[in-house]
Amino acid sequence: MFTLHELRRSASLATKVFIQRDYSDGTICQFQTKFPPELDSRIERQLFEETVKTLNGFYAEAEKIGGSSYLEGCLACATAYFIFLCMETHYEKVLKKISRYIQEQNEKIFAPRGLLLTDPVERGMRVVSFWAVLCEGTGLTTSGVPGEAARKWGLP
Amino acid sequence: MPAESGKRFKPSKYVPVSAAAIFLVGATTLFFAFTCPGLSLYVSPAVPIYNAIVFLFVLANFSMATFMDPGIFPRAEEDEDKEDDFRAPLYKTVEIKGIQVRMKWCATCRFYRPPRCSHCSVCDNCVEEFDHHCPWVNNCIGRRNYRYFFLFLLSLTAHIMGVFGFGLLYVLYHIEELSGVRTAVTMAVMCVAGLFFIPVAGLTGFHVVLVARGRTTNEQVTGKFRGGVNPFTNGCCNNVSRVLCSSPAPRYLGRPKKEKTIVIRPPFLRPEVSDGQITVKVMDNGIQGELRRTKSKGSLEITESQSADAEPPPPPKPDLSRYTGLRTHLGLATNEDSSLLGKDSPPTPTMYKYRPGYSSSSTSAAMPHSSSAKLSRGDSLKEPTSIAESSRHPSYRSEPSLEPDSFRSPTFGKSFHFDPLSSGSRSSSLKSAQGTGFELGQLQSIRSEGTTSTSYKSLANQTRNGSLSYDSLLTPSDSPDFESVQAGPEPDPPLGYTSPFLSARLAQQREAERHPRLVSTGPAHREPSPVRYDNLSRHIVASLQEREKLLRQSPPLPGREEEPGLGDSGIQSTPGSGHAPRTSSSSDDSKRSPLGKTPLGRPAAPRFGKPDGLRGRGLGSPEPGPTAPYLGRSMSYSSQKAPSGVSETEEVALQPLLTPKDEVQLKMAYSKSNGQPKSIGSASPGPGQPPLSSPTRGGVKKVSGVGGTTYEISV
């Protein structure tokens, strides 16, 4: 049994494939849909692309500037931003959706293929990483620890 | 203000923010205390209310700008940083809306800074969409809190203007009581307000322009887009709405940790691999930009799977029937974009520190020829052994170790595939190939999916950690494992012949294991020829045996004693000349048969230089046979047939020292072996022509072998 933390340390158990951000449209959050060759034998191309495109869609929705985000801003201003103590922002709501989606994808699609998708928010949304479990013969239980990066960073 | 753990408390950095706070709060309090009561009477009670609201707004934004995380990127973890600092290029370029933008490597944070990100030296953090570090709020202004800072400026300007205006109004009302306390205080407040108004308004105006243009202070001050196009702008309205109306970005630090448990348990699903899908790509996560790939698709496959050598070869895939088909379909994506920067152009050469090997092409990395055969074995995951074999082919010429030094040295950069596996001799090369070794490790790990060899795992472990130390890779202990492992369970090709893409030596070993009976009767006086005929069809074997009988009947010829050695060497070393596997006369056949038969236990007689007639014919022009029944490659063993019409050629097993080219040639020869004499290889003359020698009749025949070796065969 291994935790994700242990997985991180023991390189022999998992190899990591990083999918970088796609900056071609500016700083909006989207990830490259190009299929990494390391996953060639692990997962079908369409599945991968579909996953990344869905994620991109989620992020686009989070960053969407529209009526709801405007109203949210006005409300926040009006309450001197005390509203943020009670309510979570639209972006955070979408991030939760993303997190649920990733969890679901991991359970349904990636874990049966020996892969694990990490939430990009843990790494500052710079990369999405796939962890490919190396050994067929090893059963792993992983516990995702988002924010571990933050915790690590916070350490002196 | 982000806490700086581990740093000394510096009071000096809190001076500006304290001063700002004091002035703001103090002056406003005085205003409310002294001026507002009068104003509420004289003008309207709405005045203090308005001022209170504005002041509240100022305070809220001030607090948010001060205390909110500006968008600090967490430090990248080690696994993301796969390359040595010294080897990674300092800049990467990415194209944003057609404009090349450089991303600089941040040594502190260990990643390439996203566009518009900058590292704040005061806070020692990389901040997303870094604007500036504001001393008045003692915080960086970045993506998350720029809105609050901007609103703070706007509201502060408004507040100052309000305070000044209403104070002036009050003073005008009490112009005759200027010495009064309230008036005096109001005048003092007005002075402070007036004093701060000029810089604050200036800054506000500056930021209004920035917002309208879609730039950050950093970009404006450093002149990034001076005279150029700003790729980050979406038009004035969109820029403004983006600043003011977008949903606040999330923080990256200090996110709540959620424990998620996912069970990953084999067996793992695998995608179907079709012929058209087999491609070989080795990516290094884009750090080094594109890798140049040659058309030798298999080469990478070999090298990449090198580390899987330790594994016993997997059972043959059932699709060996697609052997040739797969070969043709193998393809490397030659110009695949790096995974890091999809559409990137190559990295900016400025301050470009590059690992020497990276830029070298992968072409020379491996044996193009043999690799493809390995790949054709089916699933790329199953390649490792065979690929390793072929990759180690050159080394077999010298010794059975994984040290094809000369072979690999020119291909340094991309031959990282080999590096982790070479034992002992490559510490330096390994160290410099760290990044690629990492990639290799990744790829290998993926490829090794279907294998369970512990040696593989350990090897993969080594390569994975290779970025840190390659010591474990330098132990030669693995290399013997590879070889033994490889040789042992090598699956038999169903076609009944030794794959030309295997090293001859392996083929020999394999066949020896498979058909020990054939060598059992080997004569003691002769060391068994490395040539094997195990893979010959029964028909061929039968005809060989026939010839053997014939030979036994014929008297031994002079000079035969030396034949063995010569024969052996000839056998072994005339791939070049031996391309003549051609047709042979009956005499040639008999002459040749011994050669082939050696491993089958024939007497030494069956050696090259047999009877004059035999040999001579082989060497001489009229004889269609090649002198090379030195076994060059395919030796024709047509039984007693006219030279020109070899009904079938019995292909001899590969010589031990087949060159890759020879292997290809052999393959070609084999595939065409239906009675047609073939000239294999460039050196092979036409049928009936002596290969590389000038035969001398009735005396000593000289045959040139590979590498210029000349053999004299007395006939």
Side-chain angles (χ1 to χ4, degrees):
Chain A
M1 298 268 286
F2 298 95
T3 63
L4 200 64
H5 195 66
E6 288 167 13
L7 262 187
R8 282 183 173 155
R9 294 227 183 96
S10 62
S12 64
L13 291 176
T15 187
K16 295 176 191 172
V17 180
F18 294 101
I19 294 118
Q20 302 286 336
R21 278 271 291 269
D22 175 14
Y23 292 111
S24 57
D25 285 332
T27 51
I28 60 173
C29 184
Q30 59 186 23
F31 291 93
Q32 294 178 0
T33 51
K34 192 176 66 62
F35 189 67
E38 294 90 345
L39 295 180
D40 203 7
S41 52
R42 307 289 295 235
I43 191 170
E44 290 84 1
R45 196 177 283 257
Q46 304 93 295
L47 276 179
F48 168 83
E49 283 177 5
E50 190 189 308
T51 303
V52 178
K53 282 183 181 150
T54 312
L55 281 179
N56 287 345
F58 275 126
Y59 287 116
E61 183 196 334
E63 294 180 350
K64 189 170 70 80
I65 300 166
S68 63
S69 60
Y70 178 71
L71 284 175
E72 183 186 45
C74 287
L75 185 66
C77 262
T79 62
Y81 309 113
F82 283 104
I83 197 77
F84 289 143
L85 297 171
C86 324
M87 188 187 82
E88 60 181 15
T89 66
H90 172 67
Y91 210 118
E92 287 285 343
K93 284 185 193 147
V94 177
L95 282 185
K96 279 203 174 143
K97 262 208 290 188
I98 289 170
S99 178
R100 273 199 308 271
Y101 171 77
I102 287 176
Q103 172 91 0
E104 187 188 302
Q105 290 286 100
N106 274 336
E107 282 166 6
K108 285 192 203 158
I109 294 176
F110 296 119
R113 289 167 171 78
L115 295 174
L116 189 70
L117 184 64
T118 62
D119 198 335
V121 77
E122 297 171 23
R123 292 178 188 261
M125 303 221 282
R126 292 179 295 102
V127 291
V128 177
S129 67
F130 271 97
W131 291 24
V133 175
L134 262 189
C135 328
E136 283 275 3
T138 307
L140 299 174
T141 299
T142 65
S143 56
V145 189
E148 179 179 4
R151 192 181 63 215
K152 270 185 174 177
W153 184 87
L155 291 174
Chain B
M1 291 164 281
E4 307 299 343
S5 54
K7 292 194 176 153
R8 269 195 325 110
F9 176 72
K10 289 179 201 153
S12 61
K13 71 176 181 177
Y14 294 104
V15 167
V17 63
S18 309
I22 287 167
F23 274 112
L24 176 67
V25 175
T28 308
T29 307
L30 289 175
F31 173 80
F32 277 115
F34 291 89
T35 315
C36 282
L39 285 173
S40 64
L41 288 173
Y42 304 136
V43 181
S44 157
V47 168
I49 294 170
Y50 164 77
N51 281 292
I53 290 170
V54 171
F55 180 59
L56 199 62
F57 202 62
V58 170
L59 274 185
N61 286 304
F62 178 71
S63 308
M64 293 293 270
T66 303
F67 298 114
M68 181 171 250
D69 181 332
I72 295 171
F73 282 113
R75 300 281 197 269
E77 295 179 12
E78 283 175 11
D79 53 8
E80 231 186 295
D81 171 29
K82 289 181 270 305
E83 290 182 4
D84 217 359
D85 273 338
F86 303 116
R87 319 258 182 224
L90 197 56
Y91 291 98
K92 279 166 101 87
T93 44
V94 63
E95 188 168 312
I96 299 176
K97 294 181 187 170
I99 294 160
Q100 298 290 323
V101 174
R102 270 189 336 189
M103 301 193 343
K104 190 175 178 185
W105 172 262
C106 184
T108 313
C109 304
R110 319 288 296 170
F111 54 76
Y112 284 93
R113 293 180 195 144
R116 304 194 107 176
C117 163
S118 189
H119 190 92
C120 175
S121 52
V122 178
C123 308
D124 196 27
N125 293 312
C126 268
V127 175
E128 190 176 8
E129 287 185 34
F130 179 78
D131 193 85
H132 68 285
H133 180 91
C134 184
W136 304 106
V137 299
N138 192 33
N139 195 14
C140 285
I141 307 299
R143 178 185 177 193
R144 294 186 78 229
N145 62 354
Y146 182 77
R147 172 214 316 249
Y148 308 116
F149 177 77
F150 183 66
L151 290 174
F152 166 66
L153 286 180
L154 284 177
S155 56
L156 186 63
T157 308
H159 180 62
I160 289 174
M161 289 197 307
V163 164
F164 187 86
F166 287 112
L168 184 63
L169 198 63
Y170 182 88
V171 165
L172 288 175
Y173 267 106
H174 297 92
I175 194 83
E176 60 278 4
E177 307 168 356
L178 283 178
S179 55
V181 173
R182 286 175 184 265
T183 317
V185 168
T186 305
M187 284 194 345
V189 168
M190 276 173 62
C191 287
V192 169
L195 208 61
F196 278 102
F197 177 75
I198 295 166
V200 170
L203 196 60
T204 306
F206 176 66
H207 277 274
V208 166
V209 170
L210 286 186
V211 166
R213 281 178 158 184
R215 293 186 191 181
T216 63
T217 306
N218 194 39
E219 288 162 359
Q220 178 71 26
V221 164
T222 55
K224 273 191 189 144
F225 308 121
R226 190 184 304 141
V229 183
N230 181 3
F232 304 111
T233 183
N234 298 314
C236 180
C237 288
N238 286 334
N239 295 337
V240 173
S241 64
R242 186 172 170 269
V243 169
L244 297 179
C245 306
S246 64
S247 185
R251 72 150 79 104
Y252 302 130
L253 299 184
R255 292 196 68 79
K257 283 166 271 190
K258 282 178 286 184
E259 287 291 323
K260 297 179 284 192
T261 304
I262 300 168
V263 178
I264 295 180
R265 191 171 290 132
F268 297 137
L269 299 175
R270 287 280 170 270
E272 296 265 329
V273 177
S274 68
D275 279 351
Q277 286 175 357
I278 296 183
T279 56
V280 177
K281 298 167 199 161
V282 174
M283 307 303 298
D284 58 350
N285 264 27
I287 300 292
Q288 299 298 340
E290 294 181 29
L291 300 179
R292 298 282 172 259
R293 296 275 175 266
T294 63
K295 294 302 176 188
S296 62
K297 309 163 184 202
S299 62
L300 268 183
E301 200 52 31
I302 294 178
T303 56
E304 289 161 16
S305 304
Q306 193 73 4
S307 65
D309 283 353
E311 294 244 309
K317 300 284 284 186
D319 50 3
L320 280 172
S321 56
R322 323 188 260 161
Y323 187 95
T324 49
L326 277 175
R327 268 197 310 119
T328 59
H329 285 297
L330 291 171
L332 281 175
T334 51
N335 286 321
E336 201 74 14
D337 288 341
S338 71
S339 61
L340 174 59
L341 303 167
K343 310 174 206 169
D344 294 342
S345 53
T348 306
T350 311
M351 299 175 70
Y352 202 53
K353 296 169 210 163
Y354 224 25
R355 181 173 325 164
Y358 260 115
S359 49
S360 63
S361 159
S362 61
T363 56
S364 49
M367 301 149 276
H369 44 278
S370 41
S371 56
S372 54
K374 299 310 168 222
L375 288 169
S376 63
R377 275 176 171 258
D379 191 350
S380 60
L381 289 176
K382 311 297 182 190
E383 309 308 342
T385 314
S386 52
I387 291 171
E389 287 175 25
S390 61
S391 60
R392 272 184 287 137
H393 175 78
S395 66
Y396 283 150
R397 279 197 216 120
S398 52
E399 61 187 68
S401 71
L402 286 177
E403 293 181 4
D405 297 302
S406 60
F407 173 77
R408 288 179 186 173
S409 50
T411 66
F412 190 54
K414 285 310 165 202
S415 62
F416 59 86
H417 325 96
F418 294 108
D419 290 343
L421 298 181
S422 65
S423 48
S425 59
R426 305 190 156 254
S427 53
S428 59
S429 63
L430 285 173
K431 291 235 181 274
S432 51
Q434 292 177 16
T436 54
F438 180 90
E439 305 309 321
L440 174 59
Q442 281 187 337
L443 199 54
Q444 289 163 353
S445 60
I446 291 172
R447 294 179 182 286
S448 67
E449 194 54 51
T451 61
T452 54
S453 159
T454 53
S455 59
Y456 172 77
K457 283 183 207 164
S458 62
L459 185 64
N461 196 5
Q462 294 162 358
T463 52
R464 185 75 173 85
N465 294 329
S467 57
L468 305 174
S469 115
Y470 278 90
D471 295 337
S472 54
L473 292 171
L474 301 182
T475 58
S477 60
D478 281 340
S479 71
D481 293 344
F482 300 155
E483 211 174 306
S484 58
V485 161
Q486 306 265 339
E490 186 66 47
D492 302 329
L495 300 174
Y497 71 100
T498 305
S499 162
F501 297 92
L502 287 177
S503 66
R505 179 157 178 168
L506 272 179
Q508 295 156 23
Q509 291 171 357
R510 192 150 54 86
E511 286 160 31
E513 290 150 20
R514 289 172 52 200
H515 303 278
R517 66 186 180 278
L518 294 176
V519 295
S520 59
T521 57
H525 65 278
R526 241 174 64 116
E527 69 180 85
S529 159
V531 178
R532 302 272 191 259
Y533 299 88
D534 305 334
N535 57 352
L536 297 176
S537 64
R538 290 178 181 277
H539 175 84
I540 294 170
V541 170
S543 58
L544 286 174
Q545 286 168 352
E546 228 179 283
R547 285 189 213 114
E548 192 184 332
K549 286 178 203 160
L550 286 174
L551 284 170
R552 285 199 200 103
Q553 294 158 8
S554 64
L557 295 175
R560 183 181 307 186
E561 282 62 34
E562 69 224 50
E563 312 292 342
L566 287 175
D568 279 323
S569 54
I571 290 170
Q572 296 173 16
S573 61
T574 54
S577 57
H579 303 320
R582 308 329 187 303
T583 58
S584 57
S585 62
S586 56
S587 54
D588 289 342
D589 295 341
S590 63
K591 175 177 41 171
R592 275 195 234 114
S593 58
L595 305 173
K597 297 263 182 183
T598 314
L600 301 180
R602 308 227 177 62
R607 236 14 180 160
F608 284 106
K610 289 309 202 73
D612 180 2
L614 298 177
R615 202 22 131 197
R617 257 166 272 145
L619 294 174
S621 46
E623 300 305 328
T627 34
Y630 301 134
L631 311 191
R633 287 327 183 57
S634 33
M635 293 185 15
S636 304
Y637 278 84
S638 58
S639 50
Q640 327 306 330
K641 290 219 177 106
S644 54
V646 175
S647 58
E648 49 227 32
T649 22
E650 297 162 350
E651 304 293 341
V652 177
L654 300 181
Q655 297 182 359
L657 297 176
L658 285 176
T659 61
K661 191 168 76 112
D662 293 340
E663 289 178 340
V664 173
Q665 292 161 357
L666 176 62
K667 171 85 174 89
M668 291 162 48
Y670 184 80
S671 58
K672 294 189 221 168
S673 66
N674 289 333
Q676 300 301 324
K678 32 200 148 324
S679 45
I680 295 178
S682 53
S684 57
Q689 299 302 321
L692 300 166
S693 64
S694 53
T696 60
R697 296 251 175 211
V700 174
K701 302 233 167 27
K702 291 185 185 172
V703 177
S704 306
V706 173
T709 316
T710 306
Y711 304 94
E712 296 185 1
I713 298 120
S714 58
V715 297

